[in-house]
Amino acid sequence: MSFVTHKLIKPDTVEARLYQEVLVSRIIEKGNTLVVAPTALGKTLVAVMLAAYVLEKHPEKKILFLAPTKPLVTQHETSFKKFFNIHEEEIVSITGSNPINQRTEIYKNKKIIQATPQTIENDLISGKLNLKEFGLVIFDEAHRAVGDYAYVFVNLQLQKQNSNCLVLALTASPGSEEEHIQDVCKNLSIKNIEIKDQTDLDVKPYVNEIEIDWVKVDLPKDFITIKSHLEEFQKKQLIALKSLGFAQTENKKYYNKFRLLEMQANIRKRLITHGSTQPSLFYGASKCASMIKISHAEELIETQGIGALNNYFNKLTEEANHGKSKAARQIIADEDIKIAILLTKKLFEEKVQHPKYAELKKIILNQINNDPKSKVIVFNHYRDSITEVVEFLTTGEGAELIKPRKFIGQATKGKEKGMSQKIQQEVLEELRNDVHNVLVASSVAEEGLDIPTVDLVIFFEPVPSEIRTIQRRGRTGRHHKGKMIVLMAKNTRDEAFFWTAKSKERKMKETLHSMKKNNSFILEQKPKEQTILNEFDTKEQNEKIIIFSDSREQASNINKELFSHEDVKLITKPLDIGDYVLSKDVCVERKTIEDFLNSMIDGRLFTQINNLRQNYAKPLIILEGNTTELFTLRNIHKNSIFGALTSIALDYQVPLLNSKDSNETAQILYVIAKREQKTNNKEVRIRVGRKGLTLSEQQRFIIEGFPLVGPNLAKALLEKFGSIKNIVNASEKELQELENLGKKKANLIQKVLREKYDENKSTLKELEGDKELDDEEIQKAFDENNSNSNEEEVIIDEE
């Protein structure tokens, strides 16, 4: 069977490549597969052919294609419409920008759906999407499927809801470490690995050669002088750290950035257990932080140049002057650093550049002179340098031939705003249309965007990651011969990063082939079992624990963890008070250490606590994170922090629990909600203002204000009488026709509606008059109302 001539593939749109058809056959035979192949080998076409096969065999099924960014989602939609022989309306892309109602219709009616994983994750959590109808789920850029990335959660739900669904994972590089590759395979339920590269005999006829070269430059004498002063500072810190027992040696070369971060992590661990008794730990933490900051300065002078380093020194000086960082104050006060700063400023004012700049212009001009229609991408890791490179290329000799354009991510960093995806697309379109011929790009151009193919890729600096190196290289050589040039400063970390990346890429290939040969990856996944608090299961298994979550918490790991419990119904909506409502009595305000400190400073903390106390019988604060950081994260005196904690406990009488991370927070929320709702039989009742409520919720909210009327009875009243007006006009006898609404309740409701307003006559007992209800009877009536809780799910569109 030829997949190229499949009836669901448009005739003459797909080039017949035997290796692609063999890949599809192996996936069909072996099941969930990770395909590892460089860019331009046609991984998307493999997905198209596999999708055609699945839809022919199971015409009732749907296809889901996940990609990490909106532009990539749109790109895959275009590809499927180009190749697939079905109505184009059946192929749709969705992202979080699509309204929720529109997404629901798409899930219901469309055949092939391209989406970002975050959108799918949110719709799974909110209950808008079920994966039972899908026959194939494709994970593009599958190396991301580790940690908390949305791919992991989506596949976990896929295995729970539809374990027979086929999984196809695509990547150019899953990483060099076997443990990382194992994680990707485990998290995507992979049963088979297929590897292809340019050296395979069946691939060679279809790939273009990429010429790889590197150009080395010497650091100027003044650069070396600055570097030596930075090294002297580092040596002094190491001597101090060694005397405290934190460093093993005074040899600075041993302590690269990775080892410094490792040392910092070890010091922080010791701070947790011994911080109050060993002040030297805080001193060591400050010294280590100083070394990490100056390690970054060393990298800038070696690989980027004076402009980037001058900006960084200005930032450190500002931090020190404003008291934001002890480490910054310590750095700026050091004599070696003072000399380095002065020399850097002098060179900056003289407009001295790193020698890479001249080489870069020379390479680009040579390329354009040889081929005036050439397109070039220059990759640079640092935004400051990107701006400087663009300015350099637009001035001086050859500037009339070079038309550079900056290309950065969406995030705002410092004073520089990011580029929206709309602007990014405009810049890429201008590159296609020859408005520009050089793109000076950050890592955002490495993956996830439909970048036009270019003739030359230049690394302004090597990167020590095999994944990023492969992705950068993949931007050239797609349709014709390509070229890649790496700029390196001699005797610097540039050289170390270059060889590290080459070594990791070689190791990745060896590891993948070894894993495939030995079948040494996890073959089967079992859904995570929930074993917490089985002793609290006092009701039938099909009853759900209802947890209301504020919509601002929707993307948090807490919600993912809560959603993984089979007996939890998670309802996400805007909450005016608190972050989680666990019963009619319990509302939780969750704060990370940083948010707790920030809310102390800006005054939010006690306003939020006061709102909790006024509206809920059992308010609770969960403080998430390492409590030692309360005293180290911000420059706040410890007496102020102790004062705030004391006030919460004694003045406001609100309990405060500490959790180490989001997973533990989720466990605490689950335990409390289960205890409240299944052991104490308390329904969930939210107190919110009018903000964010639908019409039906506003109606219920009003009726819940009647005496002894909870959510269930409010809903029953509205369903029986149809409107608030009809309830108000109903007689006491008509009200009593409703189950669970006896004579006393009906009488109280009527009195609230009919009696003349009198602020001195406001309690239930006074309203009842001669037929006095005691507190026990009131509570009994309320409990009767709430005893058969069957709360309907109410979800507010996150849009």
Side-chain angles (χ1 to χ4, degrees):
M1 172 184 180
S2 173
F3 297 103
V4 172
T5 56
H6 194 285
K7 66 181 182 180
L8 288 178
I9 305 254
K10 289 179 181 177
D12 303 320
T13 58
V14 178
E15 177 188 12
R17 294 186 181 183
L18 181 60
Y19 73 87
Q20 290 175 334
E21 299 208 48
V22 170
L23 278 175
V24 176
S25 297
R26 286 179 179 167
I27 297 164
I28 293 167
E29 176 191 352
K30 297 188 177 183
N32 297 353
T33 297
L34 172 66
V35 174
V36 182
T39 304
L41 260 62
K43 296 188 291 293
T44 302
L45 282 174
V46 171
V48 168
M49 290 187 277
L50 185 62
Y53 171 83
V54 170
L55 290 181
E56 183 192 35
K57 290 292 182 184
H58 307 284
E60 76 285 1
K61 293 293 186 182
K62 302 175 186 288
I63 308 297
L64 179 60
F65 197 131
L66 298 175
T69 65
K70 293 180 184 179
L72 205 49
V73 165
T74 305
Q75 180 184 333
H76 289 312
E77 179 193 3
T78 303
S79 296
F80 268 70
K81 285 180 176 177
K82 176 183 177 183
F83 298 121
F84 242 84
N85 195 20
I86 62 174
H87 291 297
E88 286 195 356
E89 311 90 71
E90 293 290 307
I91 303 170
V92 182
S93 66
I94 59 173
T95 64
S97 59
N98 294 89
I100 184 69
N101 292 336
Q102 186 185 60
R103 300 205 302 265
T104 303
E105 284 300 307
I106 289 171
Y107 296 140
K108 183 179 177 182
N109 299 317
K110 302 305 179 183
K111 206 69 178 171
I112 299 175
I113 300 168
Q114 286 84 15
T116 54
Q118 293 81 9
T119 303
I120 298 300
E121 177 183 74
N122 288 340
D123 289 345
L124 283 168
I125 290 173
S126 67
K128 295 293 184 184
L129 171 64
N130 191 294
L131 298 171
K132 287 180 181 178
E133 295 183 355
F134 291 90
L136 170 65
V137 176
I138 303 155
F139 295 88
D140 195 20
E141 307 290 0
H143 55 272
R144 290 174 173 246
V146 292
D148 296 327
Y149 193 67
Y151 278 173
V152 180
F153 179 81
V154 171
N155 184 63
L156 177 64
Q157 300 311 311
L158 177 66
Q159 299 312 312
K160 286 182 178 181
Q161 297 176 12
N162 185 7
S163 59
N164 292 324
C165 179
L166 185 60
V167 170
L168 174 62
L170 306 172
T171 182
S173 169
S176 61
E177 297 298 326
E178 182 170 347
E179 184 179 356
H180 187 276
I181 301 172
Q182 289 274 15
D183 282 344
V184 172
C185 292
K186 177 187 72 174
N187 292 335
L188 296 180
S189 306
I190 297 301
K191 301 176 181 177
N192 175 48
I193 295 177
E194 295 295 336
I195 310 146
K196 286 290 172 187
D197 65 29
Q198 297 94 329
T199 61
D200 293 341
L201 293 176
D202 55 350
V203 173
K204 271 188 175 181
Y206 304 103
V207 297
N208 298 298
E209 179 189 353
I210 298 177
E211 180 186 343
I212 299 174
D213 198 4
W214 56 89
V215 175
K216 294 187 177 184
V217 299
D218 292 304
L219 281 183
K221 184 179 177 182
D222 285 335
F223 282 45
I224 294 171
T225 301
I226 293 171
K227 185 183 169 187
S228 67
H229 284 292
L230 298 179
E231 288 174 347
E232 282 301 315
F233 174 85
Q234 297 290 65
K235 287 176 187 175
K236 285 181 275 189
Q237 312 316 303
L238 269 179
I239 291 169
L241 286 165
K242 187 171 184 289
S243 70
L244 294 169
F246 299 130
Q248 301 171 9
T249 174
E250 295 174 15
N251 182 2
K252 181 199 162 291
K253 289 183 179 179
Y254 178 78
Y255 284 100
N256 56 25
K257 191 172 284 187
F258 174 79
R259 286 200 171 97
L260 288 173
L261 290 170
E262 200 175 50
M263 184 198 296
Q264 186 181 58
N266 289 332
I267 293 173
R268 283 180 173 173
K269 282 180 187 176
R270 291 174 64 178
L271 273 168
I272 296 172
T273 53
H274 304 293
S276 59
T277 58
Q278 295 183 19
S280 61
L281 289 170
F282 292 97
Y283 179 71
S286 180
K287 289 287 183 186
C288 187
S290 299
M291 286 197 72
I292 292 170
K293 288 178 182 292
I294 293 305
S295 175
H296 179 65
E298 289 178 299
E299 185 173 338
L300 292 177
I301 189 62
E302 288 182 355
T303 69
Q304 303 302 310
I306 293 300
L309 181 61
N310 187 65
N311 287 341
Y312 184 61
F313 277 149
N314 288 339
K315 180 185 170 186
L316 281 179
T317 303
E318 186 180 348
E319 284 181 11
N321 291 340
H322 289 84
K324 293 180 181 178
S325 165
K326 262 184 201 174
R329 292 200 301 273
Q330 180 182 309
I331 289 168
I332 298 303
D334 184 86
E335 289 303 318
D336 279 297
I337 298 299
K338 286 179 180 177
I339 295 169
I341 290 174
L342 288 172
L343 183 51
T344 300
K345 283 184 177 177
K346 176 176 174 290
L347 296 175
F348 179 74
E349 288 166 0
E350 294 171 359
K351 297 186 178 179
V352 174
Q353 300 279 11
H354 196 291
K356 285 183 182 180
Y357 280 79
E359 284 295 332
L360 176 66
K361 183 180 276 190
K362 180 177 165 185
I363 292 166
I364 293 173
L365 284 173
N366 184 55
Q367 178 70 30
I368 292 172
N369 287 326
N370 289 334
D371 180 5
K373 293 185 178 181
S374 287
K375 290 184 173 66
V376 180
I377 289 185
V378 179
F379 281 107
N380 191 299
H381 188 65
Y382 297 100
R383 278 199 187 180
D384 286 346
S385 293
I386 289 171
T387 302
E388 202 170 349
V389 167
V390 171
E391 289 173 357
F392 178 78
L393 293 177
T394 53
T395 56
E397 184 184 353
E400 68 281 0
L401 297 175
I402 303 173
K403 296 176 284 184
R405 187 70 160 89
K406 178 167 67 174
F407 192 82
I408 58 175
Q410 298 178 61
T412 296
K413 295 186 177 180
K415 296 178 182 178
E416 183 177 22
K417 287 186 176 180
M419 293 175 70
S420 68
Q421 286 192 335
K422 181 182 178 183
I423 295 175
Q424 288 176 349
Q425 291 304 313
E426 288 173 1
V427 171
L428 295 180
E429 198 58 37
E430 289 171 353
L431 183 66
R432 286 189 188 91
N433 297 329
D434 300 321
V435 177
H436 313 296
N437 57 6
V438 177
L439 204 65
V440 185
S442 67
S443 58
V444 72
E446 292 172 357
E447 69 168 7
L449 289 168
D450 185 15
I451 305 277
T453 187
V454 298
D455 305 280
L456 172 63
V457 167
I458 302 173
F459 290 27
F460 194 82
E461 71 288 302
V463 285
S465 162
E466 78 289 355
I467 294 176
R468 294 179 63 194
T469 299
I470 291 169
Q471 288 170 334
R472 287 182 174 190
R473 187 172 64 223
R475 293 305 185 185
T476 188
R478 292 188 178 185
H479 304 302
H480 51 262
K481 183 179 176 181
K483 188 171 185 180
M484 181 183 97
I485 296 177
V486 183
L487 295 173
M488 287 189 284
K490 293 178 187 175
N491 302 316
T492 68
R493 62 199 69 204
D494 270 351
E495 291 184 327
F497 287 173
F498 177 78
W499 293 111
T500 297
K502 284 185 72 71
S503 173
K504 285 183 176 180
E505 187 174 349
R506 183 178 64 253
K507 184 180 178 183
M508 177 197 77
K509 293 176 181 178
E510 291 171 355
T511 302
L512 283 168
H513 285 289
S514 173
M515 288 175 67
K516 180 175 173 62
K517 181 180 177 182
N518 301 320
N519 215 22
S520 60
F521 48 90
I522 299 170
L523 297 176
E524 294 184 13
Q525 314 303 317
K526 291 183 179 179
K528 183 177 171 184
E529 294 181 2
Q530 303 297 338
T531 57
I532 302 173
L533 287 181
N534 288 333
E535 65 269 28
F536 285 148
D537 286 332
T538 59
K539 292 192 174 185
E540 294 180 12
Q541 290 297 316
N542 62 354
E543 292 191 12
K544 295 280 189 179
I545 299 166
I546 298 168
I547 297 177
F548 281 95
S549 166
D550 185 58
S551 54
R552 288 164 293 190
E553 300 284 332
Q554 183 164 351
S556 73
N557 291 330
I558 296 171
N559 280 18
K560 290 191 229 177
E561 186 67 25
L562 289 171
F563 185 80
S564 69
H565 289 268
E566 299 289 347
D567 56 347
V568 168
K569 186 174 188 178
L570 187 65
I571 303 175
T572 304
K573 64 184 300 172
L575 298 181
D576 285 349
I577 301 163
D579 296 315
Y580 293 91
V581 178
L582 309 180
S583 75
K584 68 183 180 66
D585 292 334
V586 179
C587 181
V588 178
E589 181 75 32
R590 169 220 176 205
K591 289 196 175 294
T592 62
I593 300 294
E594 185 173 8
D595 184 38
F596 182 85
L597 295 173
N598 289 339
S599 63
M600 277 181 61
I601 294 168
D602 61 28
R604 284 180 294 121
L605 180 62
F606 292 106
T607 301
Q608 291 170 331
I609 292 171
N610 199 40
N611 286 337
L612 284 173
R613 286 183 73 244
Q614 288 181 359
N615 289 278
Y616 289 90
K618 299 177 182 177
L620 175 66
I621 295 173
I622 295 180
L623 187 60
E624 185 180 294
N626 176 5
T627 52
T628 304
E629 292 185 350
L630 280 170
F631 310 101
T632 59
L633 199 61
R634 298 293 298 270
N635 191 25
I636 303 175
H637 197 280
K638 65 179 181 180
N639 287 349
S640 298
I641 296 168
F642 284 136
L645 294 171
T646 302
S647 182
I648 292 168
L650 300 182
D651 298 334
Y652 289 88
Q653 297 183 343
V654 175
L656 187 149
L657 297 179
N658 175 232
S659 66
K660 67 179 181 182
D661 53 31
S662 58
N663 286 339
E664 197 167 275
T665 299
Q667 290 175 11
I668 293 170
L669 294 172
Y670 175 74
V671 167
I672 296 172
K674 195 165 189 176
R675 176 183 182 275
E676 286 287 297
Q677 296 177 42
K678 290 204 167 186
T679 303
N680 297 338
N681 298 335
K682 294 178 183 176
E683 67 178 1
V684 185
R685 183 175 183 175
I686 58 173
R687 274 79 161 175
V688 295
R690 289 187 292 273
K691 181 179 66 177
L693 296 181
T694 63
L695 177 61
S696 62
E697 287 179 296
Q698 289 184 55
Q699 290 169 323
R700 283 174 56 183
F701 187 79
I702 291 169
I703 300 303
E704 284 175 35
F706 290 177
L708 304 181
V709 176
N712 294 330
L713 187 53
K715 182 182 173 187
L717 280 163
L718 285 163
E719 287 176 346
K720 177 175 174 58
F721 293 100
S723 70
I724 294 174
K725 182 179 179 181
N726 291 341
I727 295 171
V728 171
N729 291 331
S731 67
E732 190 172 321
K733 185 177 179 181
E734 287 172 326
L735 289 174
Q736 290 178 49
E737 291 173 5
L738 194 68
E739 188 179 355
N740 285 334
L741 205 160
K743 188 175 181 181
K744 289 179 180 179
K745 284 185 188 177
N747 181 261
L748 284 173
I749 291 171
Q750 286 288 308
K751 281 188 176 291
V752 167
L753 293 171
R754 311 287 187 222
E755 287 285 319
K756 184 180 178 181
Y757 175 72
D758 182 354
E759 64 180 10
N760 296 317
K761 189 177 181 181
S762 56
T763 67
L764 286 178
K765 291 180 182 179
E766 288 170 330
L767 284 173
E768 187 59 19
D770 296 334
K771 292 180 276 186
E772 186 176 285
L773 266 98
D774 58 29
D775 292 336
E776 246 179 59
E777 204 166 358
I778 292 171
Q779 185 59 48
K780 183 181 177 185
F782 191 83
D783 289 341
E784 283 174 2
N785 174 40
N786 297 330
S787 61
N788 296 312
S789 175
N790 185 25
E791 182 71 32
E792 180 184 54
E793 179 173 4
V794 182
I795 298 175
I796 301 295
D797 290 355
E798 69 247 35
E799 305 303 330

Coordinates of all heavy atoms in Angstrom, one line a residue, residues 566-593:
E566 N -9.7 11.3 40.3 CA -10.9 10.9 39.7 C -12.2 11.4 40.4 O -13.2 11.5 39.7 CB -11.0 9.3 39.6 CG -9.8 8.7 38.9 CD -9.9 8.9 37.4 OE1 -11.0 9.3 36.9 OE2 -8.9 8.7 36.7
D567 N -12.1 11.6 41.7 CA -13.3 12.0 42.4 C -13.5 13.5 42.6 O -14.2 13.9 43.5 CB -13.3 11.3 43.8 CG -12.1 11.6 44.6 OD1 -11.1 12.1 44.0 OD2 -12.1 11.3 45.8
V568 N -12.7 14.3 41.9 CA -12.8 15.7 42.0 C -13.4 16.4 40.8 O -13.1 16.0 39.6 CB -11.4 16.4 42.2 CG1 -11.4 17.9 42.0 CG2 -10.8 16.0 43.5
K569 N -14.4 17.2 41.0 CA -14.9 18.1 40.0 C -14.4 19.5 40.1 O -14.8 20.2 41.1 CB -16.5 18.0 40.1 CG -17.2 18.7 38.9 CD -18.7 18.5 39.0 CE -19.4 19.0 37.8 NZ -20.8 18.8 37.9
L570 N -13.5 19.9 39.3 CA -12.9 21.2 39.4 C -13.6 22.2 38.5 O -13.8 22.1 37.3 CB -11.4 21.1 38.9 CG -10.5 22.3 39.2 CD1 -10.3 22.6 40.6 CD2 -9.2 22.1 38.5
I571 N -14.1 23.3 39.2 CA -14.9 24.3 38.5 C -14.1 25.6 38.5 O -13.8 26.1 39.6 CB -16.2 24.5 39.1 CG1 -17.0 23.2 39.1 CG2 -17.0 25.6 38.4 CD1 -18.3 23.3 39.9
T572 N -13.7 26.1 37.4 CA -12.8 27.3 37.3 C -13.7 28.5 36.9 O -14.5 28.5 36.0 CB -11.8 27.1 36.2 OG1 -11.0 26.0 36.5 CG2 -10.8 28.3 36.2
K573 N -13.6 29.6 37.8 CA -14.4 30.8 37.5 C -13.8 31.9 38.3 O -13.0 31.7 39.2 CB -15.9 30.5 38.0 CG -16.0 30.3 39.4 CD -17.5 30.0 39.8 CE -18.4 31.1 39.4 NZ -19.8 30.8 39.6
P574 N -14.1 33.2 37.9 CA -13.6 34.3 38.7 C -14.1 34.3 40.1 O -15.3 34.2 40.3 CB -14.1 35.5 37.9 CG -14.5 35.0 36.6 CD -15.0 33.6 36.8
L575 N -13.3 34.4 41.1 CA -13.7 34.5 42.5 C -13.2 35.8 43.0 O -12.1 36.2 42.9 CB -13.0 33.4 43.3 CG -13.3 31.9 43.0 CD1 -12.5 31.0 43.9 CD2 -14.8 31.6 43.0
D576 N -14.2 36.5 43.7 CA -13.9 37.8 44.3 C -13.0 37.6 45.5 O -12.3 38.5 45.9 CB -15.2 38.5 44.6 CG -15.8 39.1 43.4 OD1 -15.2 39.1 42.3 OD2 -17.0 39.6 43.4
I577 N -13.2 36.5 46.2 CA -12.6 36.3 47.5 C -11.9 34.9 47.4 O -12.4 33.9 47.1 CB -13.6 36.2 48.6 CG1 -14.4 37.6 48.7 CG2 -12.9 36.0 50.0 CD1 -15.6 37.5 49.5
G578 N -10.6 34.9 47.8 CA -9.8 33.7 47.8 C -9.4 33.1 46.5 O -9.8 33.6 45.4
D579 N -8.7 32.0 46.5 CA -8.2 31.3 45.3 C -8.9 30.0 45.2 O -9.1 29.5 44.0 CB -6.7 31.1 45.4 CG -5.9 32.4 45.4 OD1 -6.3 33.3 44.6 OD2 -5.0 32.5 46.2
Y580 N -9.3 29.4 46.3 CA -10.0 28.1 46.2 C -11.1 28.0 47.3 O -10.9 28.4 48.4 CB -9.0 26.9 46.5 CG -8.0 26.8 45.4 CD1 -6.8 27.4 45.5 CD2 -8.3 26.0 44.3 CE1 -5.9 27.3 44.4 CE2 -7.4 25.8 43.2 CZ -6.1 26.5 43.3 OH -5.2 26.4 42.3
V581 N -12.3 27.6 46.9 CA -13.4 27.4 47.8 C -13.7 25.9 47.9 O -13.9 25.2 46.9 CB -14.7 28.1 47.3 CG1 -15.9 27.8 48.3 CG2 -14.5 29.6 47.2
L582 N -13.6 25.4 49.1 CA -13.6 23.9 49.4 C -14.9 23.5 50.0 O -15.2 22.3 50.0 CB -12.4 23.5 50.2 CG -11.0 24.0 49.7 CD1 -9.9 23.5 50.6 CD2 -10.8 23.6 48.3
S583 N -15.6 24.4 50.6 CA -17.0 24.1 51.2 C -17.6 25.4 51.5 O -17.0 26.5 51.3 CB -16.9 23.2 52.4 OG -16.4 24.0 53.5
K584 N -18.9 25.3 52.0 CA -19.5 26.6 52.3 C -18.8 27.4 53.4 O -19.0 28.6 53.6 CB -21.0 26.3 52.8 CG -21.1 25.6 54.1 CD -22.6 25.4 54.4 CE -22.8 24.6 55.7 NZ -22.4 25.5 56.8
D585 N -17.9 26.7 54.2 CA -17.2 27.3 55.3 C -15.8 27.6 54.9 O -15.2 28.6 55.5 CB -17.2 26.4 56.5 CG -18.6 26.2 57.1 OD1 -19.4 27.2 57.0 OD2 -18.8 25.2 57.8
V586 N -15.2 26.9 54.1 CA -13.7 26.9 53.9 C -13.3 27.6 52.6 O -13.7 27.2 51.5 CB -13.0 25.5 53.9 CG1 -11.5 25.7 53.7 CG2 -13.3 24.9 55.2
C587 N -12.6 28.7 52.7 CA -12.0 29.4 51.5 C -10.5 29.6 51.7 O -10.1 29.9 52.9 CB -12.7 30.8 51.3 SG -12.1 31.7 49.9
V588 N -9.7 29.3 50.7 CA -8.3 29.3 50.8 C -7.6 30.4 50.0 O -8.0 30.5 48.8 CB -7.7 27.9 50.4 CG1 -6.2 27.9 50.5 CG2 -8.3 26.8 51.3
E589 N -6.8 31.2 50.6 CA -5.9 32.1 49.9 C -4.5 31.5 49.8 O -3.9 31.2 50.8 CB -5.8 33.4 50.6 CG -5.0 34.5 50.0 CD -5.6 35.1 48.8 OE1 -6.9 35.3 48.8 OE2 -4.9 35.5 47.8
R590 N -4.1 31.2 48.6 CA -2.8 30.6 48.4 C -1.8 31.7 48.0 O -2.0 32.5 47.1 CB -2.9 29.6 47.2 CG -1.5 29.0 46.8 CD -1.5 28.9 45.3 NE -0.2 28.5 44.8 CZ 0.2 28.7 43.5 NH1 -0.6 29.4 42.7 NH2 1.4 28.3 43.1
K591 N -0.6 31.6 48.7 CA 0.4 32.6 48.4 C 1.8 31.9 48.3 O 2.1 31.1 49.2 CB 0.5 33.7 49.5 CG -0.7 34.6 49.4 CD -0.5 35.9 50.2 CE -1.6 36.9 50.0 NZ -1.7 37.4 48.6
T592 N 2.5 32.2 47.2 CA 3.9 31.8 47.2 C 4.7 32.7 48.1 O 4.1 33.8 48.6 CB 4.5 31.9 45.8 OG1 4.4 33.3 45.4 CG2 3.7 31.1 44.8
I593 N 5.9 32.4 48.5 CA 6.7 33.2 49.4 C 6.8 34.6 48.8 O 6.7 35.6 49.5 CB 8.1 32.6 49.6 CG1 8.0 31.2 50.2 CG2 9.0 33.5 50.4 CD1 7.4 31.1 51.6

